[in-house]
Amino acid sequence: MKTILVTGGSGFIGTNFVKYVMTHYPQWNILNLDALTYAGNPENHRELSDDPRYTFVHGDILDAGLLKKLFDAHRFDGVFHFAAESHVDRSITGPEVFLNTNIMGTFKLLEASLSHFRKNKPADFRFLHVSTDEVYGSLGFEDPAFREDTPYDPSSPYSASKASSDHFAKAYFKTYGLPVVVTNCSNNYGPYQFPEKLIPLVILNILDKKPLPVYGKGENIRDWLYVADHCEALAKVFEKGTAGETYNIGGGEEKNNLEVVQTLCDLVDQKTGKNGTSRDLITFVADRPGHDIRYAINSDKTRDEIGFTARYSFEQALSDTIDWYLENLDWVRSIQTGEYRQWIEKQYGR
Ligand code: NAD
Ligand code: DAU
């Protein structure tokens, strides 16, 4: 058996990843360390409460004392580092927490991992740093997709903080020999995504007959990847990736935002018998400052070296995602707390 530390395992991707590992990797135990910010929900793993393979610790990656205790007690065989502040718009209105969590938090986790790696010499140890394609900056419509050697050029406080954390992770490999791998992934969607992000926000606003806010002209392009594909890729990179290397992960599904919102309107209308009226809710609003125009991922290296390619098509997985939200309205309503309503008012009230 291996024991794996997962940070941020109660957020969107972390939740899906914990469930993926519990099903597909019966030889891995998981300790999920999560501070339960607004984005983390321990109820996501209610079904695991009695499972001896799963342990939840409510705590902060900034707490070096707690990290030391956990590494000493569990002698982890590897780390999947998801914990982060992840929303670009929030980083624009309040950047400081992004520096604290994403940069300092990653630093503390690297320090704890290095100390454990030196002391206990765990075989095949990996520190998998989960990062984003946003570190590469913005592409023009005709530019070739991001490769692993594309220079970093982040635009937002979020992507600048992730870029910094990537550099620290790589530096801990080059300077100290900590076996780090970095993954840079495109936009995820799927179950348990917090409804501040485009896809769940639009699904829920359609259901509530609220305006569907499209920034600028809706022409910005993202490469969409179903979260289950991302989880599979991460586990494979952990097993097969070379220490010190970066692996890009993408879905090969470039869509502009207006196209995504229109598709959501049509699918939700079909499923709820609304008869094609939801597109009337589309509302063009002020653009995001520093809004990157296009992301696209070249994931040839991950395909060739790791053997991963995305399985899910955008159309099918988007339809499944809508079904999940329709079937889990209790989950949705439970996270639409006062804090959530304040954010929506602050961001869209204008
Ligand atoms: P999320 O915001 O849904 O979840 C983040 C989780 O981290 C939450 O459970 C939160 O409680 C926890 N957390 C925050 N600060 C913490 C701290 N100081 N200590 C411990 N836990 C803390 O994020 P997500 O969308 O699931 O993204 C997870 C990771 O994947 C992030 O590192 C993000 O940069 C990266 N990523 C996300 C996407 C995407 O499309 N969502 C794409 C590529 C990469
Ligand atoms: O590319 C990977 C990144 O994808 C991750 O690193 C981030 O953690 C994740 O949040 C996501 O970032 P984006 O900024 O691309 O995702 P978001 O869902 O916020 O926005 C997607 C696109 O939709 C973007 O071009 C902005 C636009 N948008 C978003 C919102 C919330 C709108 O037009 N209206 C909105 O209300």
Side-chain angles (χ1 to χ4, degrees), residues 85-89 131-134 158 162 185-188 193 196-202 212-216 218 220-224 257 261 285 288 291-292 295 347-348:
E85 289 294 330
S86 68
H87 191 34
V88 173
D89 293 323
S131 192
T132 170
D133 60 358
E134 301 207 7
Y158 163 69
K162 291 296 291 188
C185 185
S186 61
N187 283 62
N188 285 215
Q193 188 166 31
E196 62 188 354
K197 308 283 166 57
L198 181 71
I199 286 179
L201 181 91
V202 166
L212 311 178
V214 174
Y215 297 163
N220 305 65
I221 292 174
R222 298 290 181 265
D223 170 12
W224 293 97
N257 293 337
V261 174
V285 300
R288 172 186 279 174
H291 196 176
D292 289 332
Y295 304 142
Q347 177 68 0
Y348 302 103

Side-chain angles (χ1 to χ4, degrees), residues 192-213 264-265 268 274 278 281 321-336 340 344:
Y192 299 100
Q193 188 166 31
F194 195 80
E196 62 188 354
K197 308 283 166 57
L198 181 71
I199 286 179
L201 181 91
V202 166
I203 296 172
L204 299 185
N205 281 13
I206 294 173
L207 295 177
D208 290 341
K209 298 194 179 63
K210 287 186 179 160
L212 311 178
L264 286 167
C265 289
V268 176
K274 278 209 178 81
S278 294
L281 297 170
T321 301
I322 295 169
D323 290 343
W324 187 87
Y325 280 93
L326 288 173
E327 286 158 17
N328 289 277
L329 288 173
D330 287 353
W331 180 88
V332 170
R333 300 304 169 210
S334 77
I335 57 162
Q336 288 176 322
Y340 176 75
I344 295 295

